Amino acid sequence: MLDKLKDFASEFFVTGDPMIYGADVAIVLVTLSILFVLTYFKRWGWLWREWLTTVDHKKIGIMYILSSLLMLFRGGVDALLMRLQLAFPNVQFLESQHYNEIFTTHGTIMILFMAMPFMFGLFNIVVPLQIGARDVAYPYLNAVSFWFFFSGAMLFNLSFIIGGSPDAGWLSYPPLSELSGSPGPGQNFYIWGIQISGIGSLATGINFIVTILKMRAPGMKLMKMPLFTWSVLSSCITIIIAFPVLTVSLALLFVDRFFGAHFFTATGGGNPMMYVNLIWMWGHPEVYIVVLPAFGIYSEIVSTFAKKKIFGYKSMVFSMMLISVFSYFTWVHHFFTMGAGADVNAFFAITTMAIGIPTGVKVFNWLFTLFRGRIRMTQPMLWTLAFVPCFLVGGATGVMLAVAPADYQYHNSYFLIAHFHQVLIGGVVFGYLAGLYYWWPKMFGFKLNDRLGKWAFWLWNIGFYVCFMPQYALGFMGMTRRVYTYGWDMGWAPLNLVSTIGAFFMGIGFLFQGWQIIYSIKHEERDVTGDPWDGRTLEWSIPSPAPLYNFAVVPHVNEADAWWAMKEEMEKMGAKKETRAIEPIHMPKNSGIPFIMSICWFIAGFGLTFNWTWMGVTGLIGVGICLLARSFQYDKDYYIPIDEVKRTEASLGRAM
């Protein structure tokens, strides 16, 4: 019996690597510390009432962003481990199998479990406030979306210590991802972690489309919406069309693995290239899904800190919507070398180049907005200005890759790795960090420390160029992606060492940001105005942090920059802000069902990962019970009385 338990444990847990053992110890210690703090300070009830059961879009947004920053740390550590291996290739810092697992988890975590939740966090915090709404259209579904994401992310990350991580690349091409190439549970962790999280992503897309189209403040027509809200709308339209393709692709792959089908196994009559087409029909729109909201963030920041209306508002709107549409017609440029033929390659080369036109329109409009503006060099503005040259290089190298004959040389080389990171870090991560700095006072009521923020900014940016510029040269020198080791005679070692040094600079920059947050919580002055940046849109018209109901009285909008126009009107007329009668405010009640249902999905995913059908079925039955319980839940909302609203506003220094 003891021998059987030992055999089971050796197969169930990941063993044999000192780094894994260190991670095991760290996970246990952190978990025990959290449990001790919650118990010692008697915060379990607070945790349940205020966070685990909340349907408040602002708290859900904060949880998304906190999760994203944790995933950025995890994915960043993976990146540094890879860079150490490549800087000293013959040292064998990582075993080949461990290296394959790390580059797979790095890509998956950074795109699906870092960029996506960061984006959704900003959606939740900003969009209802920008459009003058008191919540999202479906608050309960919003909570379901977050907890599904979180349970999927935890399931995926569990593979690090249990069962083994996936090792077939971040898009899991067959045959590597089939049973013949990945017989262990790692690939099933990949499938179910992403599937569960993807349900939440699709639901979020639907939720915010309805919120934007149906819940705008009176007078806010579509062409008076803030550009960030427009960017969210265009991103969500892309989500609801692209994510079902991901769901189907992974479902078919699981059917291959679990039931012995042959959708993607060539020896069984399937076609691996069908999977590659399907995954990139999601994968390339996904790039625009995450970058479009960053464009919206840059638009808000440039306008605010240049103290000017955005140049070419209508062209900015049309360019975002064009990007959303064009994003579905570019996926084949990821495999020009597959032999589809000159006609197919020419079509997708043209569409790939064409999508650069609306992107260029946006860059020029930002520059024209800055021209002769009264620019303030705040932390959000620094990240925005850093984005422009970085994204120009990324866009130019993207056009180079779009030339099909040239791509035969660049394909699968480190030139592609450099381009991909240039766009996704310089465009997406810089944008989300700019948005985090910009809306941080609205979330928590204080700015982040400027001095520490500038240290973090320069370390990030210097490290970025030191890390990725050498990789373009390495690509030209013939270094291919997924290289684990190489001979010193290749001449790649010096540039790889430089690239690794740059990666550590970025890592130090991230640590500075962590220090900046901790320092600012204790020392920074609290904002009492609600408008620390002299903003232009409605989120700056209410206190910071925003009250539960957001707006005591729903505003009426007459201009695109609604709050700026209101401030000008008040200044011109010497008048106070318009007061209107307060009415009882309708709000949704908290619910624990989304959290419990996510646990059931986690159990189902874990069971199906190990082919334990009984556990998978048990988890799915739990999901069904949660859905049934919700269908019989009638007491789902309440009204905040007028007196309570007045007391809250008075406590915030806003007499009504």
Side-chain angles (χ1 to χ4, degrees):
M1 182 67 177
L2 185 61
D3 291 338
K4 288 183 178 180
L5 285 174
K6 287 182 179 179
D7 291 341
F8 172 78
S10 64
E11 293 178 4
F12 187 69
F13 294 102
V14 178
T15 58
D17 191 317
M19 284 190 289
I20 300 293
Y21 295 139
D24 292 341
V25 172
I27 290 169
V28 170
L29 290 176
V30 170
T31 302
L32 290 176
S33 299
I34 293 171
L35 295 175
F36 172 78
V37 169
L38 289 171
T39 304
Y40 182 80
F41 291 102
K42 299 179 180 178
R43 304 297 280 178
W44 286 104
W46 166 83
L47 180 66
W48 176 259
R49 290 188 306 272
E50 298 295 325
W51 295 97
L52 299 184
T53 63
T54 187
V55 295
D56 181 2
H57 68 95
K58 300 177 289 297
K59 289 182 178 179
I60 290 172
I62 290 169
M63 290 193 290
Y64 266 123
I65 289 176
L66 179 60
S67 303
S68 173
L69 293 176
L70 290 173
M71 292 297 100
L72 179 58
F73 174 77
R74 162 73 204 276
V77 170
D78 284 347
L80 294 178
L81 293 175
M82 286 190 289
R83 289 308 326 160
L84 282 171
Q85 169 63 30
L86 292 173
F88 309 103
N90 291 341
V91 174
Q92 297 293 309
F93 176 69
L94 296 174
E95 295 296 328
S96 58
Q97 176 63 22
H98 195 184
Y99 185 85
N100 289 344
E101 293 173 356
I102 283 176
F103 79 66
T104 298
T105 56
H106 167 73
T108 307
I109 285 171
M110 286 303 205
I111 295 293
L112 289 163
F113 300 127
M114 187 283 290
M116 291 294 287
F118 210 149
M119 176 181 80
F120 290 151
L122 294 173
F123 285 12
N124 272 280
I125 288 160
V126 179
V127 170
L129 302 183
Q130 279 201 336
I131 65 174
R134 289 191 170 122
D135 211 318
V136 295
Y138 307 114
Y140 175 87
L141 183 64
N142 201 25
V144 168
S145 298
F146 170 74
W147 288 114
F148 278 25
F149 148 73
F150 189 78
S151 63
M154 291 302 100
L155 182 64
F156 181 87
N157 279 273
L158 198 62
S159 65
F160 184 58
I161 57 173
I162 294 177
S165 297
D167 59 358
W170 81 277
L171 288 177
S172 291
Y173 290 174
L176 291 176
S177 57
E178 295 281 0
L179 278 174
S180 58
S182 299
Q187 194 57 41
N188 293 337
F189 273 115
Y190 174 95
I191 291 170
W192 284 105
I194 294 175
Q195 286 287 49
I196 295 169
S197 178
I199 297 170
S201 299
L202 184 58
T204 299
I206 295 168
N207 205 346
F208 277 89
I209 288 176
V210 178
T211 300
I212 292 168
L213 294 181
K214 302 297 290 184
M215 298 188 68
R216 301 189 306 278
M220 184 179 281
K221 297 180 180 179
L222 285 174
M223 295 309 289
K224 291 181 182 176
M225 289 198 311
L227 284 174
F228 179 71
T229 301
W230 265 114
S231 72
V232 172
L233 180 62
S234 59
S235 178
C236 289
I237 290 171
T238 313
I239 285 172
I240 64 171
I241 299 174
F243 263 80
V245 180
L246 175 66
T247 301
V248 170
S249 304
L250 295 180
L252 294 176
L253 182 60
F254 185 74
V255 169
D256 272 11
R257 294 176 58 84
F258 193 81
F259 295 105
H262 297 288
F263 289 107
F264 308 124
T265 52
T267 54
N271 186 352
M273 276 310 303
M274 182 57 69
Y275 178 89
V276 176
N277 272 280
L278 286 171
I279 203 71
W280 277 116
M281 286 172 68
W282 161 79
H284 204 80
E286 166 66 8
V287 175
Y288 295 104
I289 285 169
V290 294
V291 82
L292 280 167
F295 290 163
I297 292 168
Y298 296 132
S299 299
E300 299 292 339
I301 290 172
V302 165
S303 181
T304 297
F305 296 114
K307 289 199 170 185
K308 289 174 63 179
K309 280 190 174 184
I310 198 75
F311 182 91
Y313 174 90
K314 290 183 179 179
S315 65
M316 296 290 268
V317 171
F318 293 142
S319 65
M320 279 191 285
M321 300 311 292
L322 280 173
I323 290 171
S324 183
V325 173
F326 282 2
S327 67
Y328 300 111
F329 299 97
T330 58
W331 82 88
V332 174
H333 70 223
H334 289 278
F335 37 91
F336 278 146
T337 58
M338 76 174 183
D343 292 342
V344 172
N345 285 0
F347 174 82
F348 283 95
I350 292 169
T351 55
T352 302
M353 294 180 192
I355 205 169
I357 297 172
T359 306
V361 167
K362 306 181 80 58
V363 174
F364 280 111
N365 282 0
W366 291 321
L367 295 176
F368 287 137
T369 304
L370 292 172
F371 181 64
R372 292 183 177 175
R374 289 172 286 174
I375 301 171
R376 290 174 288 162
M377 297 303 291
T378 60
Q379 291 180 76
M381 193 67 187
L382 284 173
W383 287 97
T384 300
L385 293 176
F387 147 79
V388 175
C390 186
F391 203 74
L392 287 176
V393 174
T397 53
V399 172
M400 293 172 66
L401 288 162
V403 179
D407 188 66
Y408 275 74
Q409 299 300 316
Y410 307 138
H411 190 73
N412 270 350
S413 75
Y414 256 71
F415 184 92
L416 173 61
I417 298 294
H419 158 75
F420 189 72
H421 286 83
Q422 184 100 36
V423 173
L424 284 181
I425 295 179
V428 176
V429 178
F430 282 14
Y432 292 174
L433 290 176
L436 183 65
Y437 283 110
Y438 182 58
W439 283 301
W440 185 276
K442 186 53 56 182
M443 288 188 278
F444 299 108
F446 61 92
K447 294 180 183 178
L448 289 171
N449 181 266
D450 193 62
R451 179 174 58 87
L452 292 173
K454 287 180 178 176
W455 271 98
F457 169 81
W458 286 111
L459 285 165
W460 261 96
N461 277 268
I462 292 170
F464 176 83
Y465 286 101
V466 172
C467 180
F468 293 108
M469 290 300 108
Q471 293 183 17
Y472 287 112
L474 286 167
F476 285 134
M477 293 166 68
M479 183 174 176
T480 57
R481 54 197 304 203
R482 304 188 179 116
V483 164
Y484 158 67
T485 188
Y486 53 87
W488 291 97
D489 59 326
M490 303 298 292
W492 300 341
L495 288 177
N496 272 302
L497 178 59
V498 171
S499 182
T500 300
I501 292 169
F504 273 89
F505 267 91
M506 286 192 287
I508 296 169
F510 180 77
L511 294 179
F512 263 88
Q513 287 174 312
W515 180 18
Q516 178 189 20
I517 291 171
I518 295 169
Y519 180 89
S520 300
I521 290 171
K522 186 175 181 180
H523 296 289
E524 287 303 301
E525 182 180 350
R526 266 44 186 176
D527 169 49
V528 296
T529 66
D531 188 14
W533 304 121
D534 194 16
R536 307 180 71 86
T537 44
L538 286 177
E539 71 268 30
W540 305 110
S541 67
I542 57 177
S544 300
L548 175 64
Y549 47 78
N550 296 345
F551 297 89
V553 177
V554 175
H556 192 283
V557 173
N558 297 313
E559 301 289 341
D561 290 339
W563 176 231
W564 187 264
M566 291 177 189
K567 289 190 289 187
E568 285 186 334
E569 186 65 24
M570 287 187 286
E571 185 178 342
K572 186 192 309 178
M573 304 299 294
K576 294 182 179 179
K577 193 175 179 181
E578 180 185 356
T579 58
R580 280 178 280 168
I582 298 178
E583 298 177 352
I585 297 175
H586 178 258
M587 297 296 292
K589 284 187 175 180
N590 286 0
S591 175
I593 294 177
F595 177 69
I596 296 169
M597 185 159 50
S598 73
I599 294 175
C600 294
W601 265 115
F602 181 92
I603 293 169
F606 190 84
L608 292 170
T609 293
F610 284 93
N611 293 335
W612 297 342
T613 306
W614 63 270
M615 182 181 285
V617 172
T618 301
L620 292 174
I621 290 172
V623 172
I625 292 171
C626 289
L627 293 171
L628 192 65
R630 176 61 178 179
S631 69
F632 286 99
Q633 192 176 44
Y634 299 108
D635 185 19
K636 297 183 289 190
D637 46 26
Y638 69 103
Y639 282 89
I640 301 176
I642 294 173
D643 289 343
E644 185 177 336
V645 176
K646 287 183 176 179
R647 283 196 302 271
T648 303
E649 292 294 301
S651 69
L652 297 170
R654 297 162 65 88
M656 301 299 293

